[in-house]
Amino acid sequence: MRGVAREAGSVRLLSGQKALVTGANSGIGRATAIRLGRAGADVVVNYVADRTAAEEVVKEIQGFGVRAYAHEADVSQEDQVVRMVSRMVDELGTIDVLVANAGLQRDAPIASMSLQEWHTVLEVNLTGQFLCAREAVKEFRRRGVVPDVSRAAGKIICMSSVHQVIPWAGHVNYASSKGGVQMMMATLAQELAPERIRVNAVAPGAIRTPINRGAWETDEAEAGLLKLIPYGRIGEPEDIADAVLVMASDLLDYVVGTTLYVDGGMTLFPGFATGG
Ligand code: BGC
């Protein structure tokens, strides 16, 4: 395989590639940044708060013999995203993989959801992905395909959610943002495929991370959550990291504009297993 070296017992799928992972100081982003580094990529670890955690991720990645650094930026701020990507090009030479992961929740029933809560979620989860994708595309285009590195000119993986299709009462801002991510991803995939830029999404179900601690930290909450997961376990950040790695690699070079659900079957309408 082109551009591929070995990693302990398996293939280093992203050898020589440069990846930017947003929101990489915790949860899914952290596991993904580490996984891409272990697969041979140099990694920019973006964070908006908690520099210490981001630096720990960087150290772990550097342990794989690749380059990594932490970069503070709020993905919803245009100037900060522009600076982040241009620094990456200066320091690492280019960008091959963007994992647009940074996201948050500000939950409230509709009548008590403030406009600020609506805006914050849309701006980080959707506008943030748009801004990062736009800046990455400019560099993918400038550089074009380098066959020894990858068959594609660039790969964008949008972190979506099962809530791009599952409505979620009390979370209208979040579900709307992820519905938007789905259409943004598909539209960009259509627009950019002729340039060999692959845009896809990974849609996690319930993954054990700080964003949904309340849904799994007590036995009672966990039992309720498991009713929604046919596969019978809560996901771990590494489940998503592995999916992102394969999506970013040339193994899936012909996969364009697709959402890979990594959800233990949450999108299979589990209520209908015994009803309907
Ligand atoms: C949300 C989590 C939730 C999961 C499944 C995710 O996108 O961020 O809070 O547990 O979807 O409902």
Side-chain angles (χ1 to χ4, degrees), residues 46-66:
N46 161 256
Y47 69 99
V48 69
D50 201 349
R51 177 164 195 98
T52 311
E55 291 295 356
E56 278 164 20
V57 176
V58 165
K59 274 208 194 72
E60 192 163 342
I61 295 172
Q62 287 169 340
F64 303 124
V66 295

Side-chain angles (χ1 to χ4, degrees), residues 27-191:
I28 289 171
R30 174 183 190 281
T32 299
I34 291 169
R35 187 69 191 92
L36 302 192
R38 185 146 69 88
D42 294 336
V43 184
V44 176
V45 174
N46 161 256
Y47 69 99
V48 69
D50 201 349
R51 177 164 195 98
T52 311
E55 291 295 356
E56 278 164 20
V57 176
V58 165
K59 274 208 194 72
E60 192 163 342
I61 295 172
Q62 287 169 340
F64 303 124
V66 295
R67 286 187 289 173
Y69 65 83
H71 185 103
E72 180 183 340
D74 176 344
V75 294
S76 70
Q77 299 303 309
E78 184 172 29
D79 55 333
Q80 296 185 33
V81 173
V82 169
R83 271 204 303 277
M84 174 165 65
V85 175
S86 86
R87 176 183 172 200
M88 181 171 179
V89 174
D90 286 348
E91 294 208 10
L92 300 181
T94 191
I95 173 171
D96 300 284
V97 178
L98 165 66
V99 184
N101 166 79
L104 44 73
Q105 289 181 214
R106 294 286 182 270
D107 310 328
I110 178 66
S112 50
M113 184 176 287
S114 66
L115 183 58
Q116 192 52 52
E117 286 166 333
W118 171 267
H119 278 315
T120 300
V121 171
L122 269 291
E123 279 163 20
V124 173
N125 295 12
L126 184 56
T127 307
Q129 292 204 13
F130 157 74
L131 290 171
C132 292
R134 191 188 69 187
E135 293 312 300
V137 163
K138 292 180 192 167
E139 171 58 15
F140 295 161
R141 210 167 250 169
R142 185 199 64 77
R143 192 203 59 244
V145 176
V146 180
D148 282 344
V149 174
S150 173
R151 298 177 74 181
K155 283 88 56 161
I156 297 175
I157 290 103
C158 299
M159 196 57 67
S160 188
S161 163
V162 292
H163 297 297
Q164 70 171 27
V165 290
I166 302 179
W168 201 17
H171 306 76
V172 69
N173 47 2
Y174 184 84
S176 302
S177 75
K178 295 301 185 178
V181 164
Q182 194 287 326
M183 187 51 82
M184 182 190 70
M185 180 281 290
T187 298
L188 292 181
Q190 186 195 62
E191 184 170 330

